[in-house]
Amino acid sequence: MKLYLKPYCSILFFLLNVFKTFFCALIFSYFPAMATIQTNQNNVQYTIRDTAHRLGRMCLKSSADSVNQLIRNTNSRDSIAVSRQQAKWISDQIHAKLSDSTLNFQKKNFLRAGIEWFSIQAIPASVNYFIRKDPVSHISFKNFFSHLKFSAWTWDDNLFATNQIAHPYHGQFYFNSFRSNNFSFWQSSIATVAGSYIWETAGETEPPSVNDIINTSFGGTILGEMTHRLSHHILARPSLTKGQRNKKEILAMLINPINGLNRLLDGRWGNTAKGIVIDSSQVHTEAELGIRRFDAKEHNVISRGKNDIYARIKLIYNNEYADRKKPFNDFILNLEIGSDDSSIVNAVNIYASLYGNRILSDLTGTHRGIVSAHFDFLRNEAFYYGSQSINYNVFSNFNIGKHTKLTTVLGGGPVVLAAVPDPYLHFGESRTYDYGPGMDVRTAATLNTLNRFKFGIDYRGGYFVTISGNKSHHYLHTVSTSASVRIWKNFGINLYSGYFRLEGRYRDHDKVNKDYPFIRLALAYNSEY
């Protein structure tokens, strides 16, 4: 196997050194800034505080109708919109010190964030050193300084699931150690890169890994902000009893453990005065349970296919009232598990908006251009695949008559790093896949009529060039069609058909094509809260 490191690592090494300089300056400049904030509390920058102060005063002297009137009169500069349901709930909390709760817990807690961030490094390192007695944990200053060199960076040989799932999941702890202490999305993203960089250079004797720092930083940021948003959404739902509040706290902590820990430390857990969270987002959930038929060998899914049971959940997070230019005001999570022979987890797909604005205002329909981040993990009996990418998308909505709506998406962009299987590669103890960057394109169309019937088609194509592995390039094609009908209240029937194809073209070996045709039929339940 050959390693094609130079172009990738040159860029990475330059960015890391710029990052080190910036992050150290940020740390040392923070403490005087912190003192200024503490002595200047009247210059609070959070519009949520202003809104909360007004809501708090109204709640103490008026009813839910008064709160609703206040919300209607709130200046458009306020970035938080409160639903009528939440307003009624707030008005019921007559003795809740809303202004105090918002004021006291919107400050950035750099000291605690730093301790939590460091603990995420120290705990696994201590387990490896003292309990597992792993030789790679016995790092010295000599190892550390040698890892700072450009020539030290390489590609590791970990299992596919370790690199593509475990590392991003670990990265979200770095992210939320700062995010749950009231730092911004971008500041928390910097902390995620810093956490991964420190672990790669000072956590183990093994040389630092290019794929690890990309997967941990990029994937960790996506997973981190998603869990942060979902946990806040749960905590903001109305609850009038202690039991309801505790259930919300437990569920939110399972999704975002560090935020739950900090709520316990601050005394916000289940507290109506100190623990209130205001959130204007909506989450649409579609849960499926059904059967699927596929054939990864003879490509005859009708007569030669295999059957198995699968479950799928799709979360669509939307914040209609917030500024669309902010990261993660919209995201989609798709999780699919099944009983085939590949693995329990068959798909994890995350789409998240980073920046968006209205475009093409002179054309029919409404159109929005959105820069998005994507995290993809696929595993079936034919092949496995993982990637992180950035796309620019054009979302369009068209009204066809009174009861029919057409939604289309066209997008594409660079793939930061993709992992694709290579049957000719046996690198180290467990790696049998190539790494490399590329490009992808995504397009979809959905027709919704009578609020009961839905039809859709979706295509994704990708091209990837290997820079770690056998000299090769790969093509990915995925196409699927869907038909859904709502049969009773929130219950419906969903039918899908599709085809996945991965093509490998090798300089020194024969080409390899992997195909995965499938049909799925499922009972679905839709909810929105």
Side-chain angles (χ1 to χ4, degrees), residues 27 61 93 113 135 143 159 168 204 245 247 255 266 271 294 365 369 387 408 437 442 450 467 469 493 521:
I27 292 176
K61 67 180 182 180
Q93 311 304 305
N143 296 133
L159 290 168
E204 296 175 327
R245 291 193 294 272
K247 289 178 182 178
I255 294 173
D266 289 332
N271 193 315
F294 59 92
S387 73
T408 63
R442 304 168 190 252
L450 301 175
I467 60 174
I493 298 291
L521 178 65

Side-chain angles (χ1 to χ4, degrees), residues 37 61 64 91 159-160 162 165 182 206 210 255 263 268 286 330 341 366 436 456 460 468 482 498:
I37 291 173
K61 67 180 182 180
S91 68
L159 290 168
F160 177 77
T162 300
I165 291 292
N182 299 312
E206 294 181 341
V210 177
I255 294 173
R263 289 179 65 83
R268 288 181 287 163
E286 182 178 61
D330 301 281
D341 296 333
T366 58
R460 179 185 175 188
S468 173
S482 63

Side-chain angles (χ1 to χ4, degrees), residues 211-224:
N211 54 276
D212 280 355
I213 196 168
I214 294 174
N215 289 334
T216 303
S217 302
F218 194 106
T221 296
I222 292 178
L223 294 178

